[in-house]
Amino acid sequence: MSKHSFNIARGARKQQPEGDASLGLTEAFAPIGAGDAPGQRGAADGDTSLGLTEAFAPVAASHGAHAAGFKYQGDTSEDYSDPVESLEPRDEPVFGDEVPAAAPVQNCGRHGKPEPVEHPHLKKSRRVRRVLVIIVALLAVLACALGYFAFQLWNESSRAMVQQTQAQQQSTDVGNLSQDNSGKDAASATTAKKTEVPNLVGVLGQTQDAAITALAHGATVTSSKDVNEEGNAVKKSVTVALTAEPADSRSGTPTVYLGLDADGKVIQAGYSAATASLGYGSLSFADAVKNEHIVEKTLREAGVNVADGSAKLPSDKTSYSTYASDGITLVKENCSFNGTVDINGAAHTWSSVLMYDYSTANASGNLADTVRIIYIYINA
């Protein structure tokens, strides 16, 4: 009870008449004498229960309290809580239960929405999708690379196959022609003979002018140069074109080569012409040498009497064959032959070169575009 309430009670007591038997506030809150035991007044009235006077026991003057004031003493019973203290706010849970802490409230503004909290499963799903996208992209790049390399491999294989097919077709065509013309004379070949081989033996020992006159067939000097080679008896080389003879579209006009010594005498005579002009058809290189004996026949027409079989090809074809970088496409076949022959009781050396060039034929795909030329020489 507050001090103000006690003052009101004291004022009311002064105004109460002594003879008033009704119970006033002073009686309800009368001080207990020193000789009275707590609860004695209530016991005299026959009330054995705990009264308000016991709850508001007087405070000794030594404590500095007002002489007629009371100090509130709370109920210390363990079975029941004090009614006044129970009304006061408590820091602890009422019944010992822990109250879960409230989740922090995010201040998003009056009209704003709270930021959504992402579920762990959504994060994991997004990571899985990202990994799958990367894997798919890598697989696509790998597939493109494999496709490119497969295309390049197929392209190279196709090119090699085409070249091999062309080479086989050339061999087949030449083989068929060689079988048809095997054992036949050059004059009866599929290609008609267009030119005659000049007599090279007849010009040996003559001067340049005399040799040109003997050659006839429109012999015309096209070039002349000195030769300065140690040990070589030829000192001057003269090239003579037989302009009266039909020219070949690929190898040109038949030509004679004269070698003069220091005295201006012919000690070497040579001749070149296309095999087609001499009446030899589209024969393979091996067939032209082995079966048609093109070298021996051309030498005999030039006045050099050699027997068939004098010109022999090496057993290894690669020794006279030239291939392209792929190792399959045949580019050229070139082989030289030589021997000795007796002319008028004197030994003479002869030589010959047969050359097939397939460069134009490979480019056009037509075997007829092959350049075939034969060279023959006789030395005094």
Side-chain angles (χ1 to χ4, degrees):
M1 182 177 292
S2 64
K3 186 176 180 181
H4 179 68
S5 298
F6 282 115
N7 293 332
I8 295 175
R10 291 180 61 185
R13 184 176 179 181
K14 290 179 179 181
Q15 296 176 5
Q16 183 70 23
E18 296 179 357
D20 191 359
S22 59
L23 180 64
L25 292 175
T26 57
E27 294 180 357
F29 298 95
I32 300 174
D36 296 336
Q40 183 178 3
R41 182 183 180 90
D45 295 338
D47 186 6
T48 59
S49 61
L50 180 63
L52 292 175
T53 56
E54 295 178 1
F56 296 91
V59 181
S62 60
H63 292 168
H66 195 275
F70 295 90
K71 181 180 180 181
Y72 174 76
Q73 294 181 356
D75 189 2
T76 59
S77 175
E78 296 179 356
D79 297 336
Y80 302 95
S81 59
D82 185 81
V84 178
E85 293 180 356
S86 63
L87 298 177
E88 296 179 357
R90 301 173 60 90
D91 296 335
E92 300 84 4
V94 178
F95 298 102
D97 297 335
E98 294 183 359
V99 179
V105 179
Q106 297 179 357
N107 187 11
C108 300
R110 184 176 181 181
H111 300 286
K113 295 182 179 179
E115 295 182 359
V117 179
E118 189 173 12
H119 199 276
H121 293 290
L122 296 179
K123 291 183 178 180
K124 184 177 181 181
S125 177
R126 187 168 63 253
R127 287 196 299 267
V128 171
R129 287 197 300 269
R130 187 180 297 112
V131 172
L132 289 178
V133 169
I134 295 174
I135 292 175
V136 170
L138 291 177
L139 290 177
V141 173
L142 180 61
C144 294
L146 291 177
Y148 174 77
F149 287 118
F151 174 76
Q152 292 295 330
L153 181 61
W154 175 83
N155 194 14
E156 292 294 335
S157 300
S158 300
R159 186 182 296 108
M161 187 177 296
V162 169
Q163 293 174 350
Q164 185 175 5
T165 302
Q166 291 178 354
Q168 291 176 353
Q169 185 65 32
Q170 291 176 1
S171 299
T172 301
D173 295 342
V174 170
N176 293 335
L177 289 173
S178 63
Q179 290 178 0
D180 294 339
N181 298 328
S182 178
K184 297 181 181 179
D185 188 77
S188 61
T190 55
T191 302
K193 189 175 182 179
K194 300 177 182 179
T195 186
E196 297 289 336
V197 180
N199 186 359
L200 298 181
V201 175
V203 299
L204 292 177
Q206 297 184 9
T207 62
Q208 176 178 334
D209 295 338
I212 293 174
T213 301
L215 289 173
H217 300 285
T220 304
V221 176
T222 57
S223 65
S224 177
K225 64 178 181 179
D226 296 333
V227 178
N228 296 317
E229 295 180 1
E230 185 177 356
N232 190 355
V234 176
K235 301 302 179 181
K236 185 177 181 180
S237 177
V238 180
T239 301
V240 180
L242 303 179
T243 57
E245 298 297 318
D248 184 77
S249 60
R250 288 176 290 274
S251 60
T253 304
T255 305
V256 173
Y257 309 95
L258 301 176
L260 308 177
D261 60 6
D263 298 332
K265 301 293 184 66
V266 177
I267 58 174
Q268 182 186 72
Y271 172 78
S272 68
T275 58
S277 299
L278 297 176
Y280 299 96
S282 300
L283 301 174
S284 68
F285 194 85
D287 288 338
V289 176
K290 295 179 180 179
N291 298 328
E292 288 298 325
H293 303 289
I294 187 173
V295 175
E296 295 90 339
K297 290 179 179 179
T298 305
L299 285 170
R300 285 197 290 265
E301 290 184 25
V304 182
N305 190 12
V306 295
D308 289 343
S310 300
K312 297 180 180 180
L313 280 173
S315 58
D316 185 9
K317 182 180 179 180
T318 59
S319 61
Y320 58 86
S321 301
T322 303
Y323 294 91
S325 58
D326 58 5
I328 298 175
T329 304
L330 184 62
V331 176
K332 184 182 293 185
E333 288 179 296
N334 190 335
C335 188
S336 61
F337 312 92
N338 56 73
T340 303
V341 64
D342 183 88
I343 300 176
N344 299 326
H348 293 71
T349 59
W350 62 269
S351 63
S352 176
V353 176
L354 182 64
M355 187 273 292
Y356 278 22
D357 189 346
Y358 301 100
S359 300
T360 306
N362 290 333
S364 64
N366 187 3
L367 188 63
D369 292 333
T370 304
V371 178
R372 302 176 178 89
I373 301 176
I374 186 172
Y375 299 83
I376 58 172
Y377 294 88
I378 181 69
N379 298 317

